[in-house]
Structure formats: structure tokens, C-alpha cells
Amino acid sequence: MHRALVRRPGSCIRLLAGTRAREIQFTRWVRNRSVSVSEMARFAAKKTAARVAGREVVAIQDTTELIYGGRKARANGFGPVGKGGNLGGLLLHPVLAVDATSGALIGPVDLKIWNRAGEQAGPRRGRATAEKESQRWIDAARHAGEVLAAAAQITVISDREGDIYEQFACRPANVHLIVRACQNRRIEPQTQAENNELLFPFIDSQPEQGRLSVNIPAAPGRRARTAELTIRFASVEVRKPRHTLGGDLPEKIKLSVVDVHEIAAPDAVEPVHWRLLTTHDVASLGSARRIIDQYRMRWIIEEFFRTIKTAGFNIEDADISDPNAMSNFVAAAAIAAVTVMQLVRARDGTTDQKLADAFDSMDQPILQAVSRQLEGKTARQKNPHPEGSLAYGAWVLARLGGWTGYYGKPGPQVMRRGLEDFQRIKYGATLELHDV
């Protein structure tokens, strides 16, 4: 299934299979009660664990909704998603390992997919975190500490939903956190004259300590732009929330906060404003910039969601009525989407990854032969990357997918088409005709 999804990403099992026999095989596989999301995630994470030894790793986590329809989807057992909960679907929460220095996508660390129950949960304040969906953020950090244990350093990145006091209180000893603040938390007073200081007014009142220019990527309804950001940072002691049910949690936790605020944003554009809480010590402008750079890697998981939803796999178009079978199919597609993204991120040769991260050992001579056929006379039509590197293979697939080498950069759709063409070439190169 994984090989079929990488070869021809999509949501139609009939097209993935290619033959009636394989269609039946794939259908039985996703519906098999012995197949589980957790087992697929464990197998993928084992491969990731083998690649992180000695590296500084960022583990990025986030959640997205997968919508499969309205009344019909709900009648088939899909839980409530979307605004108001009137639609039916699943929730996907991946954790992706990225090299903190090169930005190379190393592989999946964890994968959680769940189907919400239809009944109304009790009031949030009346339930412990372990009884809420919020527990996924804490579990992901714990799992990252286990899977990535051989890494030189592990930093787990979360957006505002991950701003949970227990996330900081329960983090594993070998894991650091960077979380975009959502709660205007109580902090220990910085002077004796104050007794109930809040996080947001405190950091907003600090003097500017530096500036940074960054490229903000395009997003739906937003053009790419270069933003000039002011930087403020300080150490704080965050107080335990008054209404938490965790009686054994510490009364306060020492953290660093890095405030990033865009100045002179274009008209009708919401300026960037990140308040980042981290367990890393931030005592200089250089260390603050490092926290910002690592948090900006969170965009990789947004690219991942785009890849699995619209830019290749179209996973929300899958026509599988059973939520358990759909969960298995989503898990297989998510793991395959990582391979496609590895190629996209390796295209510029900056990730320093080997061909073996995404290709079989027998693929290299075929890639070399195809590369020679695709190369043109000009320098921009030559493969500029060393043989044996993932960037070399990504260049070949991009050219097969329709990229000319002159305009723009190949994205996931181009890589998807290139993978499909390469698999056809590979099949032809390895085909043995005995009785012709």
C-alpha cells in the first residue's frame, strides 16, 4: 500500500491498485481489524529513530480535520467536525521530525487519528486533561522523547492549541518545548510592588532588543512577503492555573518568552505577532533568533497538510464509508506523503540527505540513466547535485513531472507526477520478458 501511494498518490483505491486483484487486496487490508494506525505509526517511527542519532532534531506537531461529508458521513459513523460540528470526519495529529540545522524532513515520529464520539462531553473545567483531546499534545512530546532518544537534542514545536500548563509540567527530561502562547497566564511579579502580573502586558512592556527580517510564505488569502520583526525576550515564572485539576503539578514553572511583532505590515494584512514560550534558556539576541527560526519550521507541517489534502493525495475525496477503514487509509497516505515532502524539501540540495532516505538501492542506476536523458545543453538543464544525494533524485523526478528547470520551484504535485513516471520507467527497466 505504501509503495502504491508513493508511486501514484491519490484517494481512489481502484487507481492505486491498478488491477482488480490488487484492488480487492487493498480493500481487505484497510478493513482488516488486525491493521491499526498505531502499528503503522510505530513502524514508520522506527525508521525515523534510526536516522536521528547525534542530530539536533525539531519535532513539529499539529492537528487538522479531515471532512468526509454531512448527513451521510454522520450516518456512517464519522464524528462531528467543522464549525458547529455538523459535518462528519476524522482528526489527524502527526508529529514530524526535522533536522534543526538543515531543515531536512527526517520522517514521522508519531501519528494519531481519531473519530470523535457523537455525545456531548462535560464542561471542560470539570474534566482532567487526560480526559480531553488536549492530552494529545502531552502524549506527542512524551513519544518524541522515546522515539528520538538517540538525538543530540529534541525540541517539540506546538502552535497555540498546545499552550497547556501540563505540557510544560510533564515534559520528558530529554525534551525541550517551544509553544506559541495562547493564554495570558499569570506570572510571578518581576518587582515587589506588583502581585498579580500577566504574561502579555509584561512582555509587551519590555524594550525592543533587536530586529529580524524573515520571509513569510504565501497562504490562502495571503501573499508571500518579507516582514521586519521586532524582538523582545525575557525569563518568566508561569503560575499554575487556578482551575486546574492537577493537584500534583508544580505551583510555578520557569520559562523563557520570546515576543516577535511585525512592524509596517501591508494594509489589510494581519501583522505577525508571536509570543513564544520555551524551556530553552534565552539570554541573548542570538538565542532568541534561534527560537524564532525553529518555530518557523512549523510551516513544514502546514505543507504536509496541504500535500495530503489537496496537493497530491486528495485524502478528503476518498470514498470509504467505514471510519476504521478510513483511519487506516489516512495513516498509510500520511506516511507516504512524508516521502513526497522529503523530495520537495531536498530539491535545492540544502538538506544534505542521501538517496536511501526515499529510494531503494536499485533505483540509483536508473535515476542516473534518466538524468542523462533529461539533461539539456544549458547549465540550468544540468543536474547540479551529486549522485547518491536525495537532491539528485528530486531533480530527476521534478523534470519527469514537467518542471523545465527555469521557472519557479517544483512542488508536491510536480513530484507526485514525477514519481508516477519514474515508477513506470523503473518497471520497464526491470521487466524480464522470457516468453516473447
Side-chain angles (χ1 to χ4, degrees):
M1 174 68 83
H2 174 78
R3 186 169 296 178
L5 282 162
V6 171
R7 182 178 70 244
R8 182 182 287 183
S11 58
C12 179
I13 289 183
R14 186 178 298 109
L15 292 177
L16 285 171
T19 66
R20 176 63 178 169
R22 292 192 71 189
E23 179 187 351
I24 297 299
Q25 181 184 15
F26 287 173
T27 300
R28 287 176 176 171
W29 182 83
V30 297
R31 295 180 181 277
N32 192 323
R33 295 294 176 179
S34 298
V35 175
S36 68
V37 172
S38 59
E39 185 61 23
M40 281 186 273
R42 186 199 64 78
F43 182 78
K46 186 176 180 181
K47 290 187 175 181
T48 302
R51 300 173 183 154
V52 300
R55 302 167 78 169
E56 186 176 346
V57 177
V58 168
I60 311 166
Q61 61 169 328
D62 204 357
T63 305
T64 191
E65 293 180 332
L66 304 176
I67 298 172
Y68 291 108
R71 290 183 179 179
K72 183 178 179 181
R74 294 300 306 276
N76 286 333
F78 287 95
V81 295
K83 189 174 182 179
N86 295 321
L87 300 174
L90 302 172
L91 290 101
L92 168 65
H93 188 91
V95 184
L96 305 179
V98 177
D99 189 290
T101 302
S102 67
L105 177 54
I106 302 170
V109 176
D110 196 12
L111 191 66
K112 181 177 176 59
I113 300 168
W114 70 100
N115 188 30
R116 281 182 176 140
E119 63 269 13
Q120 186 73 25
R124 288 185 58 81
R125 286 188 176 179
R127 292 179 288 142
T129 300
E131 300 172 354
K132 304 175 187 176
E133 289 183 353
S134 304
Q135 181 66 31
R136 68 190 185 275
W137 303 94
I138 301 167
D139 291 343
R142 174 185 54 78
H143 199 66
E146 297 170 356
V147 172
L148 306 175
Q153 187 179 81
I154 308 165
T155 301
V156 174
I157 309 291
S158 307
D159 207 7
R160 284 176 288 191
E161 273 194 90
D163 182 10
I164 304 167
Y165 189 79
E166 290 92 328
Q167 171 92 314
F168 298 101
C170 302
R171 72 177 177 98
N174 65 334
V175 170
H176 279 286
L177 301 173
I178 300 174
V179 179
R180 185 178 174 187
C182 177
Q183 310 293 332
N184 191 14
R185 298 188 177 281
R186 296 184 305 140
I187 61 174
E188 284 293 299
Q190 302 296 307
T191 65
Q192 292 183 348
E194 300 164 337
N195 58 15
N196 192 22
E197 193 162 8
L198 296 176
L199 175 64
F200 293 173
F202 165 72
I203 192 61
D204 289 346
S205 69
Q206 298 303 301
E208 178 184 322
Q209 292 157 292
R211 293 195 176 187
L212 177 67
S213 292
V214 300
N215 295 320
I216 305 296
R222 184 187 72 194
R223 293 183 178 182
R225 69 184 189 278
T226 300
E228 186 174 5
L229 310 175
T230 62
I231 302 174
R232 297 174 174 84
F233 57 89
S235 294
V236 294
E237 287 183 295
V238 175
R239 291 180 174 182
K240 176 182 171 181
R242 290 191 179 99
H243 302 289
T244 183
L245 297 180
D248 56 344
L249 298 176
E251 292 299 319
K252 56 186 178 181
I253 300 173
K254 184 177 180 180
L255 300 171
S256 298
V257 57
V258 179
D259 182 272
V260 184
H261 205 157
E262 182 179 7
I263 57 176
D267 292 339
V269 173
E270 184 178 357
V272 171
H273 192 187
W274 303 329
R275 298 181 180 101
L276 307 177
L277 291 169
T278 180
T279 56
H280 286 287
D281 290 329
V282 179
S284 66
L285 183 59
S287 56
R289 286 182 172 179
R290 183 167 179 77
I291 297 301
I292 295 166
D293 288 341
Q294 290 192 348
Y295 178 76
R296 290 179 64 220
M297 289 183 179
R298 206 195 70 82
W299 183 251
I300 293 172
I301 208 163
E302 299 293 346
E303 293 177 330
F304 171 80
F305 290 149
R306 176 173 172 265
T307 298
I308 196 172
K309 284 186 174 184
T310 61
F313 289 83
N314 299 316
I315 197 65
E316 290 176 311
D317 293 338
D319 187 16
I320 300 175
S321 59
D322 177 20
N324 290 324
M326 182 66 82
S327 296
N328 290 335
F329 186 63
V330 169
I335 294 168
V338 172
T339 302
V340 173
M341 280 197 61
Q342 285 175 322
L343 294 167
V344 173
R345 298 194 61 78
R347 65 193 174 191
D348 297 325
T350 58
T351 62
D352 196 31
Q353 287 178 280
K354 303 299 183 184
L355 202 63
D357 283 355
F359 288 91
D360 296 331
S361 58
M362 63 182 293
D363 292 341
Q364 183 167 345
I366 303 174
L367 286 166
Q368 291 170 348
V370 174
S371 181
R372 288 192 291 269
Q373 290 292 321
L374 292 171
E375 288 183 342
K377 295 181 180 180
T378 65
R380 296 186 69 174
Q381 290 181 314
K382 303 287 186 183
N383 193 332
H385 307 292
E387 296 178 356
S389 69
L390 189 57
Y392 183 92
W395 186 92
V396 173
L397 296 189
R399 294 284 281 115
L400 285 173
W403 181 60
T404 65
Y406 284 94
Y407 304 107
K409 294 184 178 182
Q413 292 189 19
V414 171
M415 291 298 181
R416 175 189 60 79
R417 292 194 298 265
L419 272 167
E420 187 173 345
D421 283 353
F422 175 73
Q423 292 298 332
R424 292 193 188 102
I425 294 169
K426 177 180 175 180
Y427 178 76
T430 57
L431 187 64
E432 295 182 8
L433 301 177
H434 298 292
D435 302 317
V436 178

